[in-house]
Amino acid sequence: MKFARKIELLAPAKNLECGIEAINHGADAVYIGAPTFSARSAAGNSIRDIQALCEYAHPYFAKVYIAFNTILRESELSEAERMIHQLHEAGADALIIQDMGILQMNLPPIAIHASTQNDNRTFEKVNFLEKAGFSQVVLARELSLTQIKEIAEQTNIALEVFIHGALCVSYSGQCYLSQALFGRSANRGNCAQCCRLPYTLQDAEGKILASGKHLLSLKDLNQTEHLETLLDAGASSLKIEGRLKELSYVKNITAHYRQRLDEIFSRRPEYVKASSGTAVPFFVPDPQKSFNRGFTSYFISGKRNGDISSFNTPKSLGQCIGTIKDLSDKYITISGKQTIHNGDGLCFLNEHGELQGFKVNRSEGNKVYPADMPRLKPGLNLYRNFDHEFEKILSKKSSERKISIELFLEESANGFQLTAIDEDGNQAHVAEDLNKDIAQKPQSENILKQLSKLGNSIFELSDLKIKLSDNWFLPSSYLSELRRKTIDALMVSRAEHRPVSRIQIQATSHPFPQSQLTYLGNISNSYARDFYSRHGVTKTEPAFEVKSPEYPTLMLTKHCILHSLGCCRKLQQQTRYKEPLFLLSNQIRLKVEFDCLACEMKVLNFNSSDNDSH
C-alpha cells in the first residue's frame, strides 16, 4: 500500500502572537527566531515564549522550528550549545542552521534543518546534508521545478521550498554587500538591505543608463499557481517568508495557502496535511491585500517569465484598483470595480516613477476624496496598499481551528461510558457511576446538547452515537462532567501519540562536494573548520566576516539588470552601453559583471583606485 505524503505549510512568526495566529489560520508548522543567533536579529524571542508557542502548537500536531541560522564566532560556541539545549527542553521540534560547526557540538536529540543560507542549489549539496544527518533542507529560491524534481528523485530528505514573500536578490548565504558597505552581516542576522537602495547605472564612458532606480530590488514571490506542480516535483514543506512581517500578513497569507492546499488535497489523496484540525477563516484571504512589491513566480519554469524586478520602489504597491478617469480639486473619479473604503491608503507612480501615496478621507461610489489632494492626472494607475476594512477584520479574531471528534455514549456496569475518537484515531474512554433510573422525558436532545459543548476545547463534534438499553435519566451535570473528563483524557492520548522526531546527530566523514572552500563557505569558527576537515576539505578560508578577502564578489545573483533593461545578450537585444557597468548610490560604487553562459550577475566593490582586472 502506498502511503499518502504529508505536506507541511510552514508559516513565519515574528513573535508568540504571530506564531499562535499562524497555527489558528492553518499552518502545519511555524518557524520563529531564537533569542539570539537568528538570521533576523530583530526577530528574537525568549525561551519562555518559544515554550508557550510549542504548548499551543503541539496539541494540533503542528511543529515549531527555531531559526538558529547565523554563522557563529568562536566566543559564541559555548553559549550557542547551551541555548540549543534550552530550546530542546522548551519543546522545539527542529533547529534551522547554517553553521556546520553546530554539528560538532554535544547536541540533544533534535531534528536539524539546513537553512537556505547554506546555498542549497545542487543534488550533491543536498545529498551531503542528508548523509550528515539533516532531516530537512531549505532549497535555494532560484531552483526550477525540473531542478527540484531531480534532487527529490535522488534523495530521501524532506525538501522545503519558498512559496511566498520577499526575495533576496542574491543566492542566500552568498551576499556580502551589507557587510562590506556597512559592517552589518547578512550571515549574522543584521542585513542592511542594500538591495533595496536606489542606484544609478553608469557605463564605462560615464553614460547614465538608469538613474535613481532600485536596480537590485525584486518583486515578491507568489507560487499560488504552482503549488500542485511543486508537490509533484517532490516538495514536502511549503514555506512562507516573513519573520519581520506584521500579524495581519501572517493571518492572510497563511489562510490563503491553507485554502489552496486543502483544495488540492481534496482531489489528490496521495497528499495530506501534516497536522490536525481544520482552520476556518472569518474573511476571504487575498495576497494582494497584504504587503507586496508586485508578484513573480521567479525561475520556477526554468526561464525568465516576465520581469522579476521592482525598479520603481521597494515599498508595497498593493492591489491595482483602477485608473483615474477624472479629477477635480476635491475628488478623484476612478474607473474600476473595487470598493474603496474610508481610511484606505492609495498610491501611484508619479511622472518620475516614484511611489507616492495618500489617505482616503471619504469615498462615494467611484468618487474618492483624499485627505490631501496629490498631483494627479487622468489615466494614471491607482493601487491600494492599505485596505482599512480588511485590516480591521484581521485586527480581531479572524479564524478558528478545530479537530473533529466522534463521541460514543453507552452503558457500563455501574453507570455510563463515553468514548472519544479524534480525526487521527486517538481514543479516550471514561466511565462514571450513576444509578440507572428511567426518565420521564426523552433524553436524546439533552444528551446531544450537553456533549456538544466543546467550545473551550480544540475539538468539534462531527458525530454522536448513543447506544442505551432504555430511556435512562442522565442529569446535565453528570453529562458535563463525563464530557470534561473524556476530553481531558483525549488530550492526554494525543500528547502521548504526537509524532516527535528525536534524532541524535552522529559524527560522519563522507566527502564534501568540494575539497577547498573560499570565504563563500562562511567558516567563522574552529568547529566549522573541523567539520569540513573531517569531511575531506583540505583547504579553507575564513568567512568574510572574520577576514575580508582582497577582491571579493559581494553578490552572486540570477537577477540580471541587462535583461530587465531590455539589453539581454542572449536575446541579442540592442546594446546601448560600454562595459564595465557601475552601480552608484551616494558614496557607494559597485562594479557589475555578467556571466551570460551561467545566466548570472556578479556585484563587486569598486572605487577609483581599483584596477579593472580585479
Side-chain angles (χ1 to χ4, degrees):
M1 178 180 176
K2 186 176 181 180
F3 291 97
R5 181 152 59 93
K6 289 186 176 181
I7 303 300
E8 173 181 273
L9 177 59
L10 178 56
K14 178 172 68 172
N15 52 33
L16 172 60
E17 184 183 17
C18 284
I20 287 174
E21 290 305 328
I23 299 298
N24 289 341
H25 288 72
D28 299 299
V30 172
Y31 63 105
I32 188 170
T36 54
F37 310 125
S38 154
R40 292 287 186 271
S41 61
N45 293 272
S46 69
I47 297 293
R48 178 179 294 179
D49 280 356
I50 289 170
Q51 181 174 347
L53 180 56
C54 292
E55 290 171 353
Y56 189 86
H58 287 167
Y60 295 98
F61 289 1
K63 296 181 178 180
V64 177
Y65 303 151
I66 309 301
F68 203 81
N69 53 341
T70 64
I71 56 174
L72 304 172
R73 298 194 184 280
E74 193 73 21
S75 60
E76 297 169 335
L77 293 173
S78 58
E79 179 189 352
E81 186 173 313
R82 283 195 302 272
M83 186 174 293
I84 290 171
H85 282 270
Q86 291 175 333
L87 291 165
H88 175 254
E89 291 168 4
D93 294 283
L95 294 178
I96 308 168
I97 72 165
Q98 175 187 185
D99 196 319
M100 292 296 134
I102 290 174
L103 300 189
Q104 297 286 100
M105 296 178 178
N106 176 27
L107 297 176
I110 188 170
I112 305 292
H113 295 182
S115 170
T116 190
Q117 294 293 116
N118 287 108
D119 190 25
N120 306 314
R121 278 185 274 160
T122 65
F123 153 71
E124 290 79 11
K125 184 70 168 288
V126 175
N127 184 51
F128 172 83
L129 293 169
E130 180 179 4
K131 291 179 179 178
F134 284 83
S135 302
Q136 192 154 301
V137 171
V138 189
L139 296 178
R141 293 171 172 92
E142 292 80 2
L143 296 187
S144 67
L145 284 168
T146 299
Q147 290 171 310
I148 294 170
K149 186 175 182 180
E150 289 174 349
I151 293 172
E153 289 176 344
Q154 299 177 80
T155 60
N156 294 311
I157 195 169
L159 301 180
E160 181 180 319
V161 299
F162 281 93
I163 56 170
H164 197 95
L167 286 165
C168 290
V169 63
S170 174
Y171 289 115
S172 293
Q174 305 292 282
C175 185
Y176 308 93
L177 207 53
S178 178
Q179 174 68 25
L181 300 180
F182 301 108
R184 294 174 54 180
S185 168
N187 282 314
R188 287 183 53 78
N190 202 21
C191 180
Q193 295 201 326
C194 304
C195 55
R196 305 298 182 185
L197 295 176
Y199 292 93
T200 291
L201 184 65
Q202 184 184 72
D203 76 356
E205 296 178 337
K207 181 180 178 181
I208 302 299
L209 305 180
S211 178
K213 296 293 183 181
H214 302 268
L215 298 173
L216 296 176
S217 182
L218 301 184
K219 294 178 180 177
D220 287 357
L221 186 65
N222 185 329
Q223 300 292 19
T224 297
E225 303 306 319
H226 299 279
L227 294 180
E228 195 163 356
T229 49
L230 280 167
L231 301 184
D232 292 343
S236 292
S237 179
L238 306 178
K239 185 172 193 172
I240 300 167
E241 180 277 337
R243 277 198 301 119
L244 294 178
K245 293 294 200 309
E246 298 303 320
L247 184 62
S248 63
Y249 173 96
V250 173
K251 289 182 172 185
N252 182 32
I253 303 304
T254 303
H256 166 72
Y257 282 101
R258 179 74 274 157
Q259 289 187 342
R260 291 301 184 111
L261 285 172
D262 287 347
E263 187 278 324
I264 293 171
F265 298 165
S266 69
R267 53 184 171 77
R268 298 287 301 274
E270 65 268 39
Y271 302 128
V272 295
K273 60 188 176 185
S275 62
S276 307
T278 299
V280 179
F282 308 151
F283 64 101
V284 179
D286 185 353
Q288 294 278 5
K289 292 181 181 292
S290 289
F291 185 101
N292 72 85
R293 303 174 177 91
F295 289 125
T296 175
S297 61
Y298 213 28
F299 296 100
I300 197 71
S301 67
K303 57 183 179 181
R304 299 175 189 273
N305 290 327
D307 191 8
I308 65 174
S309 60
S310 176
F311 282 180
N312 287 319
T313 178
K315 299 179 181 179
S316 178
L317 264 179
Q319 181 181 23
C320 185
I321 57 169
T323 58
I324 297 176
K325 185 178 180 180
D326 195 10
L327 62 149
S328 71
D329 59 345
K330 293 183 178 180
Y331 65 84
I332 303 163
T333 305
I334 300 174
S335 62
K337 297 182 179 180
Q338 292 288 332
T339 301
I340 310 302
H341 310 116
N342 299 347
D344 280 358
L346 305 185
C347 60
F348 61 95
L349 296 170
N350 65 21
E351 64 269 24
H352 304 295
E354 301 165 337
L355 189 71
Q356 288 185 251
F358 60 92
K359 184 179 180 180
V360 175
N361 187 49
R362 183 163 54 93
S363 176
E364 296 177 357
N366 64 345
K367 287 184 178 180
V368 170
Y369 295 78
D372 295 297
M373 179 66 76
R375 288 183 57 186
L376 297 166
K377 61 182 181 180
L380 203 63
N381 286 330
L382 278 181
Y383 301 84
R384 174 165 51 194
N385 57 8
F386 181 81
D387 189 319
H388 181 263
E389 291 300 312
F390 191 73
E391 292 293 330
K392 189 163 70 172
I393 292 170
L394 292 179
S395 68
K396 305 172 184 177
K397 181 178 179 179
S398 53
S399 183
E400 191 168 62
R401 182 169 178 170
K402 295 289 186 178
I403 298 168
S404 65
I405 62 170
E406 295 178 305
L407 293 178
F408 300 86
L409 180 66
E410 56 190 340
E411 296 177 36
S412 62
N414 300 309
F416 300 88
Q417 176 177 284
L418 185 63
T419 298
I421 303 176
D422 68 25
E423 63 186 54
D424 300 300
N426 299 292
Q427 299 187 26
H429 313 274
V430 173
E432 288 283 298
D433 291 349
L434 182 70
N435 292 328
K436 294 178 181 177
D437 297 321
I438 300 295
Q440 296 180 359
K441 296 180 180 180
Q443 293 291 289
S444 57
E445 185 176 334
N446 188 55
I447 290 172
L448 176 61
K449 178 182 176 182
Q450 299 304 324
L451 296 184
S452 298
K453 291 181 179 180
L454 303 172
N456 293 328
S457 73
I458 64 173
F459 303 108
E460 65 179 358
L461 185 63
S462 64
D463 190 24
L464 171 62
K465 290 183 172 63
I466 302 172
K467 186 179 179 181
L468 303 177
S469 63
D470 212 329
N471 184 38
W472 303 116
F473 174 66
L474 283 82
S476 295
S477 58
Y478 174 84
L479 289 170
S480 296
E481 183 69 6
L482 188 60
R483 181 199 68 233
R484 184 189 66 79
K485 289 183 177 180
T486 304
I487 293 303
D488 288 347
L490 184 59
M491 288 291 287
V492 171
S493 176
R494 286 188 64 80
E496 290 173 347
H497 294 96
R498 182 177 71 88
V500 179
S501 297
R502 294 186 176 88
I503 300 173
Q504 189 68 60
I505 295 295
Q506 305 294 326
T508 57
S509 58
H510 56 290
F512 190 70
Q514 300 165 251
S515 61
Q516 298 184 8
L517 284 173
T518 66
Y519 69 97
L520 298 172
N522 299 324
I523 301 172
S524 59
N525 56 70
S526 60
Y527 282 15
R529 284 196 303 273
D530 292 346
F531 174 86
Y532 285 113
S533 176
R534 197 173 74 243
H535 291 86
V537 179
T538 57
K539 183 179 179 181
T540 61
E541 291 181 4
F544 191 105
E545 291 80 359
V546 175
K547 181 181 179 182
S548 176
E550 191 173 4
Y551 300 113
T553 295
L554 299 183
M555 179 189 292
L556 180 63
T557 173
K558 281 189 73 67
H559 166 51
C560 179
I561 295 175
L562 292 183
H563 184 275
S564 294
L565 293 176
C567 303
C568 177
R569 297 168 181 165
K570 283 189 172 183
L571 298 178
Q572 298 181 330
Q573 293 173 315
Q574 182 181 1
T575 57
R576 306 185 300 272
Y577 56 87
K578 183 175 180 180
E579 293 191 42
L581 302 184
F582 302 93
L583 290 170
L584 313 175
S585 183
N586 294 326
Q587 301 302 312
I588 299 171
R589 183 175 172 86
L590 304 169
K591 182 181 176 182
V592 186
E593 295 180 350
F594 304 92
D595 183 345
C596 292
L597 187 63
C599 206
E600 293 177 337
M601 182 177 77
K602 290 182 180 180
V603 178
L604 303 92
N605 208 352
F606 191 87
N607 59 54
S608 58
S609 65
D610 286 327
N611 187 291
D612 282 359
S613 64
H614 296 157

